[in-house]
């Protein structure tokens, strides 16, 4: 099927939905979805949530959002209630964002208008660690919504479930599209991967065993809120002087990364990782207005990581998300040496010595009650 058709196919199917054809049903669904860290970054988009270049990420294991949704589908109602809490407490910020998201989903999930929802979400990583949670939060919510859909319609489309979850999650947060799969995921059209799409992410299965169980120690340099949101950052790419070369380079990097992942070439992987991290931040610094998310501690860590590699010949490399914190990525077999290095050299640059030792993850867990 042509990829442009996936969205229309979902809309067509949704258009046939008649609430009266189904019985009232209520219950609770839950999902625990991980976050992910991009190797090749997504930065720049066009409506609606279509990336300007493909991106590829590693799914994490420890950094997760646990979401529980109690629902009540009543075929006769059209203005269902919404209630949101974060860790059991009211959250206005979360409520506004999710309300908008749910309303935008009604053409795709037409039962939403007749379904009251009580949503509670909580991150498993420390609340104030400055780790972006939109990928795991939107991934968890998308999967919960599809679990509810299955309970209402009785249809279980196991084969295409994650594809649809990725599609829905993407509309909430682009990077969330990649969080619904284990190990590595690719989002965005590229001739290098059959089945790749701008509309949903796909899982990558053919990677070299050398990458199995890769580690990601997240060094929390600054746990504060970032000064510029990802949405504003994406918008600043629209008339960015380096946008065109960046998108071209990202396409090239995706092709190169495919070869690297298949061959198990860790040193090349590290070069790519670091080039992409610094490119992302270079784009931020050269936006109008330009902005700087790295802190002095971030730079000290980057320098020390490069020196550590030179001195030891080990293959630990850094990447950055849209923030000051550093993700240090390395093979599972080098865990002891890298942990000693972190404890001895890097922790002093972290806020309250905070580090989250994470690793390649197994993907979301759906728990239906
Ligand atoms: O998913 P968004 O809209 O929050 O954008 C995320 C962009 C980066 O995290 C900086 C890169 C990426 O590909 O995850």
């Amino acid at each position: 099927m042509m990829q442009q058709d996936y969205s229309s196919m979902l809309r067509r199917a949704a258009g046939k939905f008649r609430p009266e054809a189904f019985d009232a049903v209520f219950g609770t669904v839950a999902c625990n979805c991980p976050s992910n860290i991009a190797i090749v970054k997504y930065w720049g988009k066009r409506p609606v949530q279509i990336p300007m270049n493909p991106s590829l990420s590693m799914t994490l294991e420890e950094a997760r959002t646990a979401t529980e949704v109690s629902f009540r589908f009543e075929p006769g109602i059209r203005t269902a209630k919404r209630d949101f809490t974060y860790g059991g407490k009211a959250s206005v910020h979360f409520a506004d964002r999710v309300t908008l998201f749910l309303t935008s989903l009604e053409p795709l999930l037409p039962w939403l208008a007749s379904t009251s929802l009580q949503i509670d979400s909580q991150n498993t990583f420390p609340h104030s660690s400055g780790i972006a949670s939109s990928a795991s939060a939107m991934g968890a919510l998308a999967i919960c919504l599809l679990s509810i859909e299955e309970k209402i319609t009785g249809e279980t489309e196991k084969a295409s479930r994650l594809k649809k979850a990725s599609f829905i999650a993407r509309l909430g947060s682009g990077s969330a599209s990649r969080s619904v799969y284990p190990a590595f995921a690719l989002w965005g059209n590229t001739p290098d991967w059959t089945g790749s799409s701008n509309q949903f992410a796909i899982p990558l299965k053919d990677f070299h065993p050398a990458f199995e169980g890769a580690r990601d120690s997240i060094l929390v340099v600054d746990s504060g809120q970032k000064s510029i949101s990802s949405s504003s950052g994406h918008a600043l790419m629209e008339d960015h002087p380096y946008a065109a070369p960046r998108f071209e380079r990202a396409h090239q990097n995706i092709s190169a990364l495919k070869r690297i992942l298949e061959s198990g070439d860790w040193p090349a992987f590290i070069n790519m990782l670091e080039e992409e991290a610094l490119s992302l931040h270079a784009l931020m610094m050269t936006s109008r207005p330009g902005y700087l998310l790295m802190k002095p501690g971030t730079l000290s860590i980057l320098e020390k990581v490069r020196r550590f590699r030179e001195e030891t010949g080990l293959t630990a490399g850094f990447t950055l998300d849209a923030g000051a914190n550093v993700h240090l990525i390395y093979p599972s077999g080098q865990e002891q040496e890298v942990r000693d290095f972190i404890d001895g050299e890097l922790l002093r640059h972290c806020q309250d010595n905070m580090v989250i030792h994470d690793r390649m993850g197994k993907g979301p867990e759906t728990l239906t009650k």
Side-chain angles (χ1 to χ4, degrees):
M1 186 195 308
M2 294 273 292
Q3 62 155 314
Q4 305 88 287
D5 289 342
Y6 190 64
S7 172
S8 345
M9 190 198 87
L10 292 182
R11 278 167 204 275
R12 269 199 307 278
K16 293 185 190 140
F17 180 85
R18 297 285 166 266
E20 342 32 89
F22 298 92
D23 292 334
V25 52
F26 64 93
T28 302
V29 296
C31 175
N32 190 311
C33 185
S35 188
N36 68 76
I37 179 70
I39 319 297
V40 172
K41 312 287 183 185
Y42 147 61
W43 200 240
K45 62 178 170 182
R46 59 187 166 84
V48 175
Q49 297 278 83
I50 297 296
M52 297 303 289
N53 64 261
S55 56
L56 195 155
S57 57
M58 181 171 94
T59 300
L60 300 179
E61 182 62 18
E62 302 295 334
R64 288 173 169 270
T65 300
T67 296
E68 190 172 287
V69 186
S70 299
F71 67 95
R72 177 176 292 276
F73 169 72
E74 292 169 277
I77 63 163
R78 292 291 179 274
T79 46
K81 290 201 194 81
R82 312 282 181 234
D83 181 29
F84 309 95
T85 47
Y86 182 84
K89 300 197 181 89
S91 162
V92 178
H93 173 71
F94 178 60
D96 289 350
R97 184 162 176 189
V98 178
T99 303
L100 275 175
F101 179 50
L102 292 173
T103 307
S104 75
L105 288 179
E106 284 182 16
L108 293 161
L109 305 177
W111 48 268
L112 269 174
S114 313
T115 309
S116 300
L117 302 173
Q118 191 180 352
I119 303 174
D120 184 57
S121 245
Q122 185 147 33
N123 295 335
T124 57
F125 41 93
H127 182 58
S128 60
S129 61
I131 309 291
S133 56
S134 63
S136 50
M138 290 300 174
L141 183 57
I143 291 175
C144 283
L145 292 176
L146 294 189
S147 299
I148 297 172
E149 181 168 77
E150 284 171 8
K151 287 189 176 287
I152 294 170
T153 62
E155 286 169 26
T156 49
E157 309 163 47
K158 285 271 184 283
S160 56
R161 192 165 186 268
L162 287 183
K163 177 168 156 179
K164 188 165 173 183
S166 175
F167 180 95
I168 301 281
R170 179 200 110 225
L171 297 171
S173 163
S175 53
S177 65
R178 303 182 307 237
S179 263
V180 306
Y181 299 112
F184 291 112
L186 169 84
W187 170 42
N189 240 336
T190 162
D192 295 303
W193 264 284
T194 313
S196 61
S197 172
N198 282 339
Q199 300 190 9
F200 49 82
I202 57 171
L204 300 191
K205 301 201 171 97
D206 294 329
F207 61 90
H208 195 280
F211 291 108
E212 201 64 68
R215 301 296 193 249
D216 176 8
S217 293
I218 309 169
L219 301 151
V220 182
V221 175
D222 183 27
S223 67
Q225 286 277 89
K226 28 185 200 192
S227 50
I228 297 253
S229 69
S230 287
S231 316
S232 312
H234 285 292
L236 290 173
M237 285 303 286
E238 276 163 31
D239 53 0
H240 197 294
Y242 305 137
R246 160 61 195 161
F247 301 144
E248 195 185 323
R249 180 71 159 203
H251 274 95
Q252 291 163 0
N253 283 352
I254 282 285
S255 302
L257 186 53
K258 181 171 202 276
R259 294 190 293 276
I260 292 168
L261 289 178
E262 286 169 0
S263 64
D265 187 346
W266 263 97
F269 180 80
I270 294 300
N271 282 341
M272 170 73 65
L273 193 68
E274 297 191 350
E275 178 196 306
E276 278 286 323
L278 297 178
S279 300
L280 173 70
H281 282 254
L283 291 165
M284 294 167 178
M285 288 185 239
T286 50
S287 294
R288 276 203 185 145
Y291 58 106
L292 194 57
L293 297 182
M294 284 192 257
K295 300 280 181 202
T298 313
L299 278 177
S300 300
I301 292 175
L302 304 195
E303 280 183 344
K304 284 186 176 180
V305 168
R306 289 192 159 171
R307 202 174 321 132
F308 172 73
R309 264 208 315 276
E310 271 166 34
E311 286 170 5
T312 63
L314 295 173
T315 43
F318 61 77
T319 189
L320 303 162
D321 215 332
N325 303 327
V326 182
H327 290 247
L328 188 59
I329 302 195
Y330 49 98
S332 57
Q334 297 179 11
E335 188 162 33
Q336 193 55 55
E337 295 91 327
V338 178
R339 288 261 197 134
D340 290 346
F341 164 60
I342 292 172
D343 292 346
E345 295 284 334
L346 306 184
L347 273 193
R348 71 186 75 159
H349 303 293
C350 298
Q351 190 172 316
D352 304 325
N353 289 332
M354 201 193 296
V355 56
I356 300 166
H357 293 295
D358 212 326
R359 59 189 184 282
M360 176 184 281
K362 294 188 284 296
E365 286 164 17
T366 306
L367 316 150
T368 300
K369 300 194 166 180

